[in-house]
Amino acid sequence: MEVTANPRVSVGEGDGKVVFAQDAKLSLIAGPCQMESRDHAFMMADALKELCGKLGIGLVYKSSYDKANRTSISGKRGIGLETAMEIFADLKKEFGFPVLTDIHTEEQCAVVAETVDILQIPAFLSRQTDLLVAAARTGRVINVKKGQFLAPWDMKNVLAKITQSGNPNVLLCERGASFGYNTLVSDMRSLPIMASMGAPVIFDATHSVQQPGGQGGSTGGDRTMVPVLARAAVAVGIAGLFIETHEDPDNAPSDGPNMVHLKDMPRLLEKLLALDAVAKAV
């Protein structure tokens, strides 16, 4: 029997349960680009948990244990799989929220799925059939970043690779499309196009303002444009928003130029939730 995508994807349990749906209140995927240390992860998680609790918004905590697609070989990669899984497990126990991280190889899928609630397929790997199938077979929710080189309607085939592997719980994530050298552009038409495929749609506001390789040996970006694109996406109507954040982004080990200052998150989210309420008003 053919499996179709779920229009409503739930993850987590109890008070930490998060729902992603086009007609539900906006949910948030947020955290630092890279997992830097146990202390840093707990500090960020505590701040985001408190903020989302005050705003009444579902939170999935995000961080990467390995940044495998750095611009140069000297780029900082992360703390590694084994250490990160221990920290993720402790974060879930302490805060009760679900967690998300990237996977890059088929072998990582089953190992990461033992701890992590949402497996994320990086944009550069969004057409890698064996990786998509291996991720699907874990039974975990899969968040697929749309490749910078793909049209939104091309995601129909990406989605089918996962659902036809028996997993209907898929999120499709827009993060900009290549537009000339070192430049991305976000086409807001992609949001309803992907939503029409039956899966909840996430907008990645921070990677959409990247300038890939724009600093020569590392990726650049313009975080001042994050609120602009986020407002546009929320006004169109999305199930969730993906925002990388850091207390000192200019000194973060990766993606600093496009991460939002942690201190700026409350006001940004307040505005976005107000827009979300208007966009989804019946």
Side-chain angles (χ1 to χ4, degrees):
M1 183 177 68
E2 183 174 338
V3 175
T4 57
N6 278 333
R8 181 177 293 260
V9 172
S10 299
V11 61
E13 300 176 350
D15 293 339
K17 183 178 180 180
V18 179
V19 175
F20 293 97
Q22 298 302 117
D23 60 353
K25 184 177 181 179
L26 185 74
S27 291
L28 179 68
I29 299 171
C33 175
Q34 198 177 123
M35 187 176 282
E36 300 173 27
S37 68
R38 176 179 293 271
D39 288 345
H40 186 259
F42 268 78
M43 182 274 291
M44 292 295 301
D46 185 53
L48 289 169
K49 176 73 174 181
E50 181 180 2
L51 172 59
C52 290
K54 289 180 179 178
L55 297 176
I57 182 173
L59 170 67
V60 175
Y61 183 79
K62 178 270 167 190
S63 202
S64 298
Y65 61 87
D66 180 19
K67 303 302 293 183
N69 61 344
R70 296 297 80 194
T71 300
S72 71
I73 198 168
S74 62
K76 293 182 179 179
R77 295 275 299 261
I79 64 175
L81 191 153
E82 184 175 346
T83 300
M85 292 307 109
E86 293 176 357
I87 295 172
F88 275 131
D90 291 343
L91 287 170
K92 290 174 63 174
K93 183 177 180 180
E94 176 71 20
F95 298 104
F97 48 47
V99 297
L100 172 152
T101 200
D102 311 86
I103 42 93
H104 304 91
T105 68
E106 300 142 60
E107 295 76 19
Q108 292 173 351
C109 294
V111 176
V112 172
E114 292 180 4
T115 303
V116 171
D117 303 277
I118 302 180
L119 305 186
Q120 182 164 279
I121 308 295
F124 286 125
L125 301 177
S126 59
R127 284 184 45 154
Q128 296 297 104
T129 301
D130 291 342
L131 179 62
L132 293 169
V133 171
R137 288 177 175 168
T138 67
R140 291 299 196 181
V141 174
I142 310 300
N143 183 41
V144 189
K145 295 285 191 77
K146 180 178 74 63
Q148 303 93 325
F149 44 85
L150 292 179
W153 42 86
D154 292 331
M155 290 298 284
K156 181 177 182 180
N157 294 319
V158 174
L159 178 61
K161 290 179 182 181
I162 299 173
T163 58
Q164 290 178 21
S165 298
N167 190 338
N169 296 312
V170 189
L171 306 172
L172 299 179
C173 184
E174 170 61 56
R175 50 93 73 236
S178 295
F179 188 74
Y181 297 130
N182 306 123
T183 306
L184 298 173
V185 65
S186 293
D187 181 356
M188 295 301 160
R189 298 176 303 169
S190 69
L191 303 175
I193 290 171
M194 290 195 294
S196 72
M197 299 171 191
V201 172
I202 311 298
F203 182 70
D204 180 346
T206 42
H207 288 94
S208 291
V209 303
Q210 274 188 337
Q211 296 166 347
Q215 294 185 342
S218 63
T219 289
D222 182 2
R223 72 173 66 96
T224 65
M225 290 292 109
V226 170
V228 177
L229 294 182
R231 288 195 300 267
V234 171
V236 170
I238 52 176
L241 195 62
F242 180 110
I243 300 178
E244 288 187 339
T245 181
H246 197 280
E247 87 287 356
D248 185 13
D250 290 331
N251 290 300
S254 58
D255 279 6
N258 48 270
M259 278 199 284
V260 174
H261 280 277
L262 183 60
K263 64 180 177 59
D264 294 330
M265 288 288 284
R267 183 59 179 149
L268 173 60
L269 289 175
E270 288 170 1
K271 291 181 179 180
L272 294 175
L273 287 172
L275 276 174
D276 183 62
V278 172
K280 293 173 180 171
V282 177

